[in-house]
Amino acid sequence: MRRFLVLAAVFAATAVHAQPMPTEHALLHEIAGQVSPDREHAIIARLVSFGTRNTLSDTKSATRGIGAARRWVASEFGAISRDCGGCLIIETPAETVTGRRVPNPTEVMDVLAIQRGTTDPERVIVISGHIDSRVTDVMNFTADAPGANDDASGVAAVMEAARVLSKHRFPATLVFAVLSGEEQGLYGGKVLADTAKAKGWRVEADLNNDIVGNSEGLAGTRETTRVRVFSEGTKAVETKEEADKRRYNGGEVDSPSRQLARFMDGVADRYLANFDVTMVYRTDRFGRGGDQVEMLNAGFPAVRVTEANENYNRQHQDLRTEGGVRYGDVIEGVDFAYLAQVTRLNAVSMAALAMAPAPPTGVEISGAVSVDTTVKWKPAADAARYRLWWRATTDPQWRYSREAAPTGEAVLRAVNIDDWFFGVSAVGADGYESPVVFPGPPGSWAREAPPPGKP
């Protein structure tokens, strides 16, 4: 009887349907079709040719070390910009750091290509990957460290996304970020976060691609049809007061970063053939980290994109053969058809985010001691309408929805606030739709400063 009443409540709401059919966009199909595995092969081969890209390696040589590699990336971004009529601004923000893995003051430099948005340029979508490489001893900056998959594959995804997306124009700004210093302590991620703060960017997403080109696991099995997207459940910048309220009312799995993962999963389902997103409810792999962590620590939504089947013989290893097993991160370990699928996911996700209205702000719900739930939000000029979402508190994906006029308030009749989680997405006149926003501080996309005690 209880189950019958719950279902009756769901279908009593006006214009409700599960998993609504989103608008299909020809542009996004076009972008997916423009990604070239051959170009990504050429990018990784060139990066490998620099011998080592260790953060502590030579910065003056024209042929070896991280300096030569960074200059080459900047020149390639420049060539892409010339092809699109100067649509990219190339910048190289840097900070001098000293730390546990950086014994002497060292300049950590990122290479950014910025494609300014047409109507909402302060809203920013970032794709990132790190250019630095390593062998077994992270302090060994002279040995060859090809870093073909960790993380030339991520850099290739960034650069190919820049080539493809620069052919189109978007309301929001796109940033293509090639970072340094990841292996020494996520320093390039901090440079990126500091740059975003200094520029006043409203970062809607950072899609950090790290180890995205291998499909063969240690046992020789291949996984070519899925990629993992890691996302934090609660915000790194959450205050104690916000945490207290969240523990009481829910929101542990509804941060903006988690909504990004759900958004990318939907993109894969609609625009990629035989390729799926596996959402992982962790900020990163167990006990490990990546540059997205520094963006999260600064209050920006971010996810980590990583291949489904890591091969640890090809990560952080000296180049050698032992017992018939070849160790080392060489180009032969990259599956370029698989890498192209990951790149398509990133490029289409960036385009979909940049074309959609910004995520709604001021989302609130009320309805205690009532059979109805009232949802409020702040209407915005770039949204033609909104969609109200709800799901059971144990569901991983948003399940039910109905459209709402851009009035800033709607009532879900006979949908009890106690039994469901709620959210709101913004829909543009052309049908592009933002990620869902969970009510209150747990789901707000507005950047918060880190609480006291955090950098």
Side-chain angles (χ1 to χ4, degrees), residues 254-267:
D254 280 286
S255 68
S257 300
R258 186 62 47 78
Q259 309 301 352
L260 278 177
R262 293 185 175 113
F263 186 91
M264 295 177 73
D265 189 20
V267 164

Side-chain angles (χ1 to χ4, degrees), residues 341-428:
Q341 286 284 69
V342 177
T343 306
R344 292 181 185 108
L345 172 66
N346 280 271
V348 174
S349 296
M350 293 181 74
L353 289 165
M355 290 296 291
T361 60
V363 178
E364 300 176 355
I365 55 173
S366 60
V369 198
S370 171
V371 296
D372 304 329
T373 298
T374 298
V375 184
K376 296 181 180 181
W377 65 95
K378 183 179 180 181
D382 59 351
R385 60 191 188 278
Y386 292 83
R387 193 186 303 277
L388 312 183
W389 293 89
W390 65 103
R391 71 180 200 271
T393 60
T394 54
D395 281 348
Q397 297 281 11
W398 295 104
R399 185 180 295 272
Y400 305 106
S401 75
R402 56 154 284 195
E403 288 198 352
T407 59
E409 181 174 343
V411 178
L412 292 170
R413 302 293 182 190
V415 181
N416 191 306
I417 195 171
D418 297 335
D419 298 339
W420 309 92
F421 283 156
F422 299 88
V424 183
S425 59
V427 185

Side-chain angles (χ1 to χ4, degrees), residues 186-364:
L186 312 184
Y187 292 110
K190 186 176 184 303
V191 171
L192 176 62
D194 289 346
T195 300
K197 289 186 290 185
K199 289 179 174 291
W201 287 347
R202 290 186 288 114
V203 178
E204 187 173 311
D206 170 34
L207 313 182
N208 185 46
N209 285 255
D210 196 347
I211 311 179
V212 293
N214 168 71
S215 63
E216 182 182 2
L218 287 173
T221 57
R222 288 196 175 273
E223 178 57 84
T224 60
T225 62
R226 66 185 182 92
V227 67
R228 294 178 294 171
V229 176
F230 293 80
S231 60
E232 68 174 6
T234 59
K235 294 180 181 179
V237 295
E238 183 180 60
T239 67
K240 182 182 183 303
E241 292 75 15
E242 290 170 346
D244 289 341
K245 292 180 180 179
R246 186 257 309 154
R247 280 193 295 269
Y248 200 85
N249 293 318
E252 290 83 358
V253 293
D254 280 286
S255 68
S257 300
R258 186 62 47 78
Q259 309 301 352
L260 278 177
R262 293 185 175 113
F263 186 91
M264 295 177 73
D265 189 20
V267 164
D269 291 342
R270 293 192 295 276
Y271 294 100
L272 301 184
N274 197 29
F275 199 71
D276 194 24
V277 165
T278 296
M279 294 192 302
V280 183
Y281 283 14
R282 285 194 172 109
T283 298
D284 209 307
R285 299 146 306 156
F286 193 83
R288 304 168 74 185
D291 285 312
Q292 82 282 357
V293 172
E294 290 297 334
M295 293 293 279
L296 294 169
N297 288 342
F300 298 120
V303 297
R304 179 190 177 113
V305 183
T306 296
E307 65 203 23
N309 202 2
E310 291 185 71
N311 189 323
Y312 306 115
N313 291 343
R314 297 172 181 165
Q315 294 179 21
H316 300 185
Q317 296 283 351
D318 292 336
L319 299 175
R320 68 194 191 281
T321 299
E322 291 181 359
V325 177
R326 187 180 182 187
Y327 294 86
D329 190 357
V330 295
I331 196 169
E332 290 80 6
V334 178
D335 180 338
F336 289 95
Y338 177 80
L339 174 58
Q341 286 284 69
V342 177
T343 306
R344 292 181 185 108
L345 172 66
N346 280 271
V348 174
S349 296
M350 293 181 74
L353 289 165
M355 290 296 291
T361 60
V363 178
E364 300 176 355

Side-chain angles (χ1 to χ4, degrees), residues 154-197:
V155 173
V158 171
M159 296 177 69
E160 180 63 359
R163 184 189 70 82
V164 171
L165 294 176
S166 65
K167 300 178 183 297
H168 309 278
R169 297 296 173 263
F170 303 94
T173 292
L174 305 182
V175 174
F176 307 96
V178 174
L179 313 180
S180 301
E182 194 270 352
E183 303 290 5
Q184 307 306 121
L186 312 184
Y187 292 110
K190 186 176 184 303
V191 171
L192 176 62
D194 289 346
T195 300
K197 289 186 290 185

Side-chain angles (χ1 to χ4, degrees), residues 50-95:
F50 293 107
T52 179
R53 304 186 307 277
N54 188 292
T55 299
L56 308 180
S57 63
D58 194 326
T59 61
K60 303 299 183 183
S61 170
T63 58
R64 184 176 177 85
I66 193 167
R70 288 190 301 230
R71 290 188 292 274
W72 177 78
V73 168
S75 70
E76 289 296 296
F77 279 149
I80 293 171
S81 184
R82 287 190 293 275
D83 287 343
C84 65
C87 73
L88 299 181
I89 302 168
I90 317 303
E91 297 185 358
T92 54
E95 296 177 9

